[in-house]
Amino acid sequence: MRQKSWSVSHLPVIKPLGIASLVFLYLPLFTVLIFSFNKSEDATTWGGFSTRWYSTILENTDLIRSAKVSLSIAIPCALIAALIATGLAVGMGRATGKVQNFLRALVNAPLVLPEIVTSVGTLALFSLVGVPLRYSSLLFAHVVMCVPFAFLPIRSRLRDFDENIFEAARDLGASSTRVMMKITVPLLVPALLSSGLLSFIISMDDFLTSLFVSGPETTTLPIYIFGLLKLGASPEVNVIAALLLIIPTLGLLVGITWTATRRRSNEARNK
Amino acid sequence: MEQEQGWADLQINALSKSFRDPKGAQVHALDGVSLSIPAGEFIVLLGPSGCGKTTLLRSIAGFEKIDSGHINLGGNRIDLLPPHKRPVNTVFQSYALFPHMSVAQNIAFGLENEKIDKNEVKARVGQVLELVKLTELADRKPSQMSGGQQQRAALARALAKKPKVLLLDEPLAALDLKLRKSMQFELKRIHRATGTTFVFVTHDQNEAMALGDRIAVFNQGKLQQVGTPFEIYTAPASEFVANFIGESTLLQGKISGQIFEGDGLRITNLNQDINANASAKLIVRPEAFTLMQGQTSCGKVEIKEVIFAGDSLEALLVTQSGHEVKVKTGASLLSQLNVGQSVELFVDVNQIGQIA
Ligand SMILES: Nc1ncnc2c1ncn2[C@@H]1O[C@H](COP(=O)(O)OP(=O)(O)O)[C@@H](O)[C@H]1O
Ligand SMILES: [Mg+2]
């Protein structure tokens, strides 16, 4: 008789635990989606189907303003973080041995630091140097926060390459600028996209750092939502949450379909 | 394709390069290597893994900063130039094709760096594609080609630059045996067609024999011997070379008056170029020995093992002093040889080499 090897997955509690955690992960999402179409004034009791709250939030100028603030931070933050991360990743590839290990530790450390530490630190630094809490200081704080994350996809992509291709390019007579423009950057495009997207999401979603570093003119969407909740659960919150769920999901679907069609047409062309 | 840039000899002069291993100890990857390679030659750098072949190739290409020595090409010193200014090109072992470009774009990349006219680029891409027989696959991406095809693409890309010297680092190592054999013929053909100097690195002695006009044997960063495959095989300069290339038996003993005595054997009538020596070392290839009557006798040996190899017999013999001797002899003796039997060993004195 064949004896099955033992593993953690054979514990009798694992299956119900797994199912329960999936339920607890998706149940709130469904609740929020359904209750965003609630007619009732009370966010937590069902009063029939309606889209009234969707039209209400479109007229909520505070909400729209905070969404604009969030976007105006997240978009440049994504671009700048991806750019800085690229420089770091390429530079780190050139460093060797101990220097490289040290640099990598330096870049990766913020990933495991509690965000509260970095945000308090940033605020302390800003007040110490006397930087006013404006758009640019918030953007700066977000970029600093995103760079370690933006760095990951780029570094891993760079490491996937055959190191020799950069030498091959030099060998074939390309100057270092040409190697960068014709080889490094084109090959990094997918990694740049995921790095930018990651930074965008982190910035859009960020609460702690923004709470510490934002001023009255720079209330971001998460901070605004938190403010709404302090006045009791409003049906508008459900709608905002639902939109934040629907819009990225749609974006992702469009993206996936687009790349799939492109790949298929590429394959067709090569046949 | 004609060689257009003029002929240029490659001169490597007292090249040294050492690295620090992870523990901080010095590793002499190249230790005073001097080698002169005439234009148009197909030279093979041969040696076991880690002997410094890649380091030498990378030093010529400009990717390794040498510690001392210099490299001249056609009389001009090139070891101070950056890689992209040296008139040499490399075929990397991993091929190193640009994954986001088609084969044709890969080849054109090198030419576009030279500010060559667009039509000329197109013409030259076409020429090299034809040379390596890849015309059909010009628009394929590297990932859509087999290993052998990628190999050809890498070769075409380097050749399109019309380098004075083409450097190839174990380019066939990743191919299976059959493909490797056919690529060896292809490389010889392409070498003849272009007239370019080929510096080819391998650790495979058969490949070195098959390809090289000359072979340079390396060990532990030092050049051991340079010569034609025939010279290297028949007259190895050291025990290392003798053992690394083909099989051989080392005999140690005393030579005086053209007579060798040692390891339980006695060989008379040695050639005039074998020097008298109280502690001499002789190298004898298995096919220089025979068990058939006719050549010079060496003495009695005992048969330890006989292997039938179709066209010949390979036998392992033991002399009276217990020294092992490898022999390749006529297959017709098969029925007469039995393990444990005592037989007389003969040798062709013209095929005995002496090492210091
Ligand atoms: N970048 C490097 N850092 C440290 N040691 C190296 C480096 N490159 C080569 N070496 C060492 O130098 C020696 C020669 O290596 P290499 O030229 O690659 O040999 P081969 O190509 O003949 O196998 C080896 O001992 C290798 O470990
Ligand atoms: Mg090597």
Side-chain angles (χ1 to χ4, degrees):
Chain A
M1 214 174 65
R2 194 144 49 107
Q3 199 179 345
K4 271 193 188 163
S5 67
W6 188 87
S7 90
V8 174
S9 62
H10 292 132
L11 274 179
V13 291
I14 290 297
K15 208 169 160 186
L17 261 184
I19 292 172
S21 36
L22 280 178
V23 168
F24 280 114
L25 179 64
Y26 285 100
L27 201 58
L29 299 183
F30 276 113
T31 319
V32 124
L33 259 180
I34 291 165
F35 272 77
S36 70
F37 296 104
N38 192 358
K39 201 171 188 173
S40 163
E41 295 275 338
D42 182 358
T44 48
T45 46
W46 183 250
F49 180 87
S50 146
T51 55
R52 63 180 275 211
W53 297 110
Y54 277 84
S55 20
T56 321
I57 65 152
L58 285 179
E59 283 149 26
N60 183 339
T61 48
D62 286 345
L63 169 72
I64 304 285
R65 190 181 325 124
S66 68
K68 276 186 185 161
V69 168
S70 271
L71 281 176
S72 70
I73 297 284
I75 292 170
C77 170
L79 293 175
I80 298 169
L83 203 71
I84 294 176
T86 308
L88 275 174
V90 171
M92 202 169 291
R94 294 211 184 112
T96 48
K98 283 188 190 135
V99 182
Q100 191 183 43
N101 287 339
F102 178 70
L103 281 176
R104 184 165 334 118
L106 213 57
V107 177
N108 287 343
L111 294 177
V112 291
L113 279 181
E115 196 189 338
I116 187 103
V117 176
T118 27
S119 39
V120 169
T122 314
L123 180 64
L125 181 72
F126 281 171
S127 37
L128 195 72
V129 187
V131 178
L133 296 181
R134 278 202 298 256
Y135 169 79
S136 52
S137 47
L138 185 58
L139 176 61
F140 177 84
H142 274 217
V143 169
V144 168
M145 176 175 64
C146 287
V147 162
F149 294 93
F151 174 80
L152 294 176
I154 296 176
R155 183 77 198 117
S156 84
R157 172 94 175 139
L158 273 181
R159 244 184 307 178
D160 281 348
F161 293 151
D162 175 2
E163 253 180 63
N164 284 333
I165 64 173
F166 303 106
E167 288 190 347
R170 299 281 282 159
D171 190 70
L172 291 165
S175 61
S176 25
T177 4
R178 228 178 107 79
V179 176
M180 194 75 192
M181 298 314 297
K182 291 284 174 177
I183 309 290
T184 316
V185 170
L187 285 175
L188 280 181
V189 165
L192 283 171
L193 284 180
S194 41
S195 153
L197 197 64
L198 198 60
S199 306
F200 178 81
I201 290 168
I202 291 171
S203 166
M204 277 304 278
D205 184 53
D206 177 72
F207 180 72
L208 259 184
T209 303
S210 306
L211 186 67
F212 278 85
V213 193
S214 67
E217 296 302 304
T218 52
T219 304
T220 62
L221 192 56
I223 294 179
Y224 176 76
I225 296 173
F226 185 70
L228 280 185
L229 282 173
K230 276 197 288 197
L231 307 170
S234 133
E236 286 185 316
V237 176
N238 287 336
V239 174
I240 299 166
L243 284 177
L244 285 178
L245 188 65
I246 294 166
I247 294 171
T249 310
L250 280 182
L252 204 65
L253 281 179
V254 170
I256 290 172
T257 330
W258 182 68
T259 41
T261 358
R262 226 173 66 120
R263 185 169 319 137
R264 224 169 298 132
S265 70
N266 262 348
E267 273 163 16
R269 184 148 29 95
N270 284 320
K271 258 175 203 156
Chain B
M1 230 169 40
E2 284 297 300
Q3 178 63 251
E4 282 170 17
Q5 282 152 325
W7 298 89
D9 297 346
L10 182 64
Q11 223 100 37
I12 293 154
N13 218 317
L15 217 59
S16 288
K17 168 81 190 172
S18 52
F19 293 104
R20 293 216 170 267
D21 71 6
K23 287 184 200 129
Q26 276 217 328
V27 180
H28 294 281
L30 293 175
D31 195 352
V33 172
S34 293
L35 182 59
S36 174
I37 303 169
E41 184 172 69
F42 196 137
I43 191 164
V44 176
L45 311 183
L46 174 67
S49 176
C51 71
K53 308 175 298 284
T54 296
T55 306
L56 178 55
L57 222 55
R58 289 172 58 81
S59 304
I60 301 172
F63 297 122
E64 221 59 84
K65 199 177 163 298
I66 55 181
D67 297 338
S68 62
H70 36 96
I71 306 171
N72 283 15
L73 184 58
N76 301 314
R77 198 163 164 193
I78 62 164
D79 54 278
L80 300 171
L81 299 174
H84 65 289
K85 299 251 167 77
R86 301 191 187 194
V88 302
N89 287 105
T90 308
V91 177
F92 292 85
Q93 181 174 354
S94 59
Y95 314 139
L97 295 167
F98 308 128
H100 59 305
M101 298 183 190
S102 69
V103 174
Q105 287 166 336
N106 261 279
I107 300 171
F109 177 83
L111 301 175
E112 283 155 5
N113 289 328
E114 285 181 47
K115 311 217 169 1
I116 297 176
D117 170 73
K118 267 215 166 72
N119 291 324
E120 165 76 8
V121 169
K122 240 180 148 175
R124 255 158 80 175
V125 171
Q127 267 173 22
V128 285
L129 280 173
E130 200 159 312
L131 182 70
V132 301
K133 300 179 179 160
L134 272 188
T135 311
E136 315 284 276
L137 305 183
D139 295 324
R140 288 262 185 107
K141 291 270 173 66
S143 59
Q144 300 162 327
M145 301 194 302
S146 71
Q149 290 163 344
Q150 292 183 35
Q151 172 61 67
R152 285 161 191 268
L155 193 60
R157 184 177 70 175
L159 283 172
K161 297 277 291 177
K162 301 196 176 173
K164 292 190 172 145
V165 178
L166 185 71
L167 307 169
L168 306 104
D169 193 358
E170 310 215 17
L172 310 183
L175 306 180
D176 62 54
L177 185 67
K178 219 172 149 194
L179 196 54
R180 194 152 71 218
K181 286 274 172 211
S182 82
M183 270 311 284
Q184 287 175 4
F185 283 109
E186 284 289 279
L187 277 173
K188 289 296 269 185
R189 174 182 67 78
I190 291 166
H191 174 249
R192 264 194 307 274
T194 57
T196 306
T197 311
F198 276 35
V199 181
F200 183 103
V201 163
T202 183
H203 63 264
D204 176 344
Q205 47 138 330
N206 294 319
E207 189 163 279
M209 292 280 178
L211 289 174
D213 294 333
R214 280 194 309 157
I215 298 174
V217 186
F218 285 82
N219 189 32
Q220 297 186 339
K222 286 200 175 78
L223 181 58
Q224 303 287 317
Q225 189 176 4
V226 198
T228 63
F230 183 80
E231 285 164 358
I232 299 266
Y233 186 79
T234 55
S238 65
E239 205 179 329
F240 172 81
V241 176
N243 284 325
F244 193 72
I245 294 171
E247 286 193 294
S248 60
T249 300
L250 176 73
L251 297 177
Q252 285 178 283
K254 183 174 96 215
I255 297 175
S256 63
Q258 304 311 121
I259 295 171
F260 169 87
E261 266 176 304
D263 282 331
L265 298 177
R266 182 184 149 88
I267 308 172
T268 55
N269 293 328
L270 287 175
N271 264 354
Q272 292 303 316
D273 55 357
I274 303 276
N275 300 316
N277 192 331
S279 59
K281 288 181 182 174
L282 297 181
I283 292 285
V284 190
R285 295 290 183 190
E287 58 275 19
F289 283 123
T290 175
L291 298 177
M292 303 214 216
Q293 289 285 344
Q295 310 275 13
T296 311
S297 170
C298 305
K300 285 279 182 190
V301 290
E302 189 186 314
I303 300 178
K304 210 173 159 193
E305 207 71 69
V306 182
I307 295 166
F308 178 58
D311 56 344
S312 65
L313 283 182
E314 285 164 22
L316 190 62
L317 313 169
V318 207
T319 67
Q320 274 152 4
S321 72
H323 191 67
E324 285 189 351
V325 175
K326 287 181 211 127
V327 179
K328 206 168 170 181
T329 190
S332 59
L333 286 176
L334 180 60
S335 57
Q336 302 163 35
L337 299 179
N338 299 305
V339 172
Q341 190 186 345
S342 181
V343 291
E344 195 168 3
L345 178 68
F346 300 91
V347 71
D348 175 3
V349 287
N350 294 316
Q351 288 189 57
I352 296 177
Q354 185 175 27
I355 59 179

